[in-house]
Each structure stands twice: as C-alpha cells, then as structure tokens.
Amino acid sequence: MRHFTSILQLGDIREAVRKAMYVKAHPFDDQSLGRNKTLLMLFFNSSLRTRLSTQKAAMNLGMNVMVLGVNQGAWKLETERGVVMDGDKPEHLLEAIPVMGCYCDVIGVRSFARFENKEDDYGEKILEQFIRYSGKPVFSMEAATRHPLQTFADIITIEEYRKKDRPKVVMTWAPHPKALPQAVPNSFAEGMQMTDYEFVITHPHGYELDPSFVGTARVEYDQDKALEGADFVYAKNWAAYEGENYGKVLSMDRSWTVDSRKMALTDNAYFMHCLPVRRNMIVSDEVIESPQSIVIPEAANRVVSAQTVLKEILESL
C-alpha cells in the first residue's frame, strides 16, 4: 500500500483487524522497518489524538518524526493556482510540497473541509496535491471527506468489545454549536460497509450524508427508534451536506443529546465518540463517564490503527 486515504484501501477488514491485533500485542517487533526512515506529519488543523498517536506509532516502528504545523512557525501557504501572491502568503503549496518530499520518506497530512467550496472539499484538493507532487507515500490524518485512521480504530474497538456475531451499530447525529465536517461520519459509514454489522444512521431531516458513503445503511429519522436494541452507539455531529445548506448548522436540537434515557433504549450498548467531545451537547456526563463508555480504549487504538497502516506503507517502500 503506497497511499492511504480511505478505509477501503485496507482490503479485507477481518484480515486488517487481525494484523492490527498482532501490532497491538507486539508493538516493537517491526522497528527495523522504520530505521533510518523519516515521517513528516503536516497539520493544517489542530490535533491531539491524531498527532500523539501517529507520532507514537512511528516511533514504535523505529522512525524519525518531524511535525510541522502549517501557519504556526512556517510560512503561510497559498493553495490556489493563478492567484497574484500579494497578500500574507509568501509560499505556494506547489513549491512547498516537493521540498517537503525531499526531507522525508512518508508524509501524513491533516487538512479539514473548509466549507468554502463543496467541489474543492469533496475533491480533496489539498490531500491530492500532496499525493501528486511530493513523490512520497502519503496518508490521511483526516481530510475533508474522510478520517480513515479513526475509522480503523473504531472497527478495531468494536471487534474487541462486541458480544454478538452481528452487533447493531448506530451512528447518531448530536447537537454542536459549530459547523463540523462530515469526514468522521462519512468515513465511519464507509467502514461499516466493510463489516457484517447491522448499521443504522440516525439524524434530523436536512443532515443527509453523501449517498456514496451511506451505501446500504438504514437511515432512520427517529432517534429513539434507531437506538432500540443497539449494541454500540457512535455519536457525532456534522454540518449539512446537501445543496445550498452545505457546511451550515441547521439545528442544535438538544433532544438529540445522547443521555441516560437514550442509552436505556439500547441493549446495554457501548458508547463511542472520536473525541474531542462537547459534554452535555453531544453526550451527557453520566453517559460518557459510565462503565459502558469506551471512548478511552477507542482513542488508545488510534496508535494501533496508525502503526498498522504505517507498517503496510513501509513494507511497500
């Protein structure tokens, strides 16, 4: 595997999870793979779990790691072609990318949707330029439309905690004061298509996701009905996708907050969230602090997902 931008690139998900479980049990067995190799982690957006977990994964593999926050200690980068660069951006991405490629062996990129142009966002304009011009393997640390390392960690976590051959997994929209990208829900829905789980998406009208990610999932607009009998509840906010509402907050309906009453509708479900989470907006204190909350093990598995992917990339060099 040279580039990693979608969970689909892992191929058979059961085999991918098997490899991840080996990595988790033997985190330092493959240090020779990364010896004298350098990972450049490039952040256009803030990060906590992704930065720390990916850096830890690379170190476990024996890699050198460089971390660069764009616009935080580096030149501000222009990303558009054809512009007269007479503003506050003295360097163009088209020069910066091949220069970065000279200094490393693998590049990780984190670049969120900007909600300025849907076509640019869903064309993954930033990520695709790194793939095209860097000359090095590139993996996504969350892009405009997907967060595959998170989704892989989510599936690993479900596999560790599931008690049924075919668990019911419900991804529910929940309120948030800001417009958030669709990357995590898109990617999670895409990943669910690779499993044999019963998968349900629930959200208010107007929050429909791109159908290419939803796939065969059942979409239910009644949250209570969707949660009935669930084994896992994955809560996440996202902004509107369709038409002129793209990137907008259409609702902050607090009745969608995942609280104890909502969880009581489930089959003693585990609660999941990618973090960071707005308490008492997305989820109540009592739910996220309950024994059924697995957000911390889920976050811990970010090291495992990143290390498994990096291992595959290093093996292809």
Side-chain angles (χ1 to χ4, degrees):
M1 179 169 64
R2 181 166 175 81
H3 304 299
F4 181 68
T5 61
S6 165
I7 188 76
L8 299 177
Q9 289 162 320
L10 291 175
D12 182 82
I13 195 63
R14 289 189 180 277
E15 177 63 13
V17 170
R18 186 195 66 76
K19 291 178 179 178
M21 290 298 99
Y22 181 88
V23 165
K24 188 168 186 175
H26 307 88
F28 306 114
D29 277 12
D30 298 295
Q31 291 195 336
S32 61
L33 276 176
R35 187 174 297 126
N36 299 325
K37 298 290 193 303
T38 298
L39 168 65
L40 171 60
M41 298 167 58
L42 189 70
F43 292 89
F44 286 83
N45 301 96
S46 300
S47 177
L48 189 153
R49 276 148 297 278
T50 297
R51 175 171 175 169
L52 295 178
S53 63
T54 308
Q55 189 166 355
K56 171 63 174 169
M59 292 165 64
N60 286 354
L61 289 166
M63 299 186 78
N64 302 312
V65 182
M66 299 187 295
V67 180
L68 180 64
V70 177
N71 303 329
Q72 298 174 9
W75 299 115
K76 289 187 177 180
L77 296 176
E78 178 58 65
T79 61
E80 300 297 324
R81 282 183 177 272
V83 298
V84 176
M85 292 175 59
D86 59 355
D88 65 343
K89 298 175 181 177
E91 183 159 15
H92 201 288
L93 205 61
L94 292 178
E95 285 78 60
I97 290 173
V99 167
M100 294 178 203
C102 294
Y103 302 148
C104 65
D105 300 282
V106 183
I107 300 176
V109 180
R110 184 176 179 90
S111 178
F112 294 173
R114 298 179 178 181
F115 291 147
E116 295 171 358
N117 184 302
K118 184 177 180 179
E119 185 176 335
D120 285 351
D121 286 345
Y122 273 71
E124 293 291 4
K125 190 172 183 178
I126 302 298
L127 185 62
E128 286 300 319
Q129 288 187 80
F130 275 90
I131 291 172
R132 185 178 305 172
Y133 299 117
S134 70
K136 297 295 165 68
V138 175
F139 67 94
S140 169
M141 300 191 298
E142 186 172 357
T145 61
R146 294 178 173 93
H147 194 352
L149 291 177
Q150 178 65 55
T151 299
F152 191 19
D154 296 335
I155 293 174
I156 293 166
T157 306
I158 292 172
E159 285 296 299
E160 287 181 314
Y161 281 85
R162 72 173 180 166
K163 299 173 182 176
K164 300 176 182 176
D165 289 339
R166 189 169 185 261
K168 179 179 179 180
V169 180
V170 178
M171 180 172 71
T172 178
W173 179 94
H176 194 283
K178 296 176 62 179
L180 299 186
Q182 297 99 23
V184 170
N186 281 348
S187 196
F188 188 76
E190 187 171 59
M192 291 298 99
Q193 308 304 313
M194 303 173 71
T195 73
D196 59 356
Y197 309 153
E198 179 185 354
F199 180 51
V200 181
I201 303 173
T202 183
H203 55 72
H205 288 279
Y207 281 99
E208 291 76 12
L209 294 168
D210 182 340
S212 65
F213 292 106
V214 173
T216 59
R218 177 165 71 89
V219 177
E220 173 58 64
Y221 295 98
D222 183 331
Q223 187 191 35
D224 286 4
K225 185 176 180 181
L227 291 172
E228 290 176 0
D231 299 293
F232 294 88
V233 174
Y234 196 103
K236 187 69 180 78
N237 175 267
W238 61 89
Y241 165 77
E242 296 288 355
E244 63 184 15
N245 288 324
Y246 177 67
K248 294 182 179 178
V249 174
L250 304 180
S251 171
M252 284 194 289
D253 184 353
R254 294 282 297 279
S255 71
W256 282 76
T257 298
V258 179
D259 57 18
S260 295
R261 187 190 74 79
K262 300 286 186 181
M263 293 298 287
L265 299 170
T266 72
D267 188 8
N268 198 29
Y270 291 107
F271 176 80
M272 302 178 71
H273 189 279
C274 60
L275 303 180
V277 65
R278 298 261 184 159
R279 284 180 174 230
N280 302 307
M281 286 290 293
I282 298 287
V283 59
S284 65
D285 288 333
E286 63 266 27
V287 169
I288 199 167
E289 293 176 9
S290 76
Q292 294 304 104
S293 173
I294 54 174
V295 296
I296 304 304
E298 181 184 1
N301 277 332
R302 289 295 308 279
V303 177
V304 182
S305 66
Q307 188 168 336
T308 305
V309 168
L310 275 171
K311 180 182 174 182
E312 293 277 320
I313 290 173
L314 289 170
E315 288 174 341
S316 74
L317 294 180

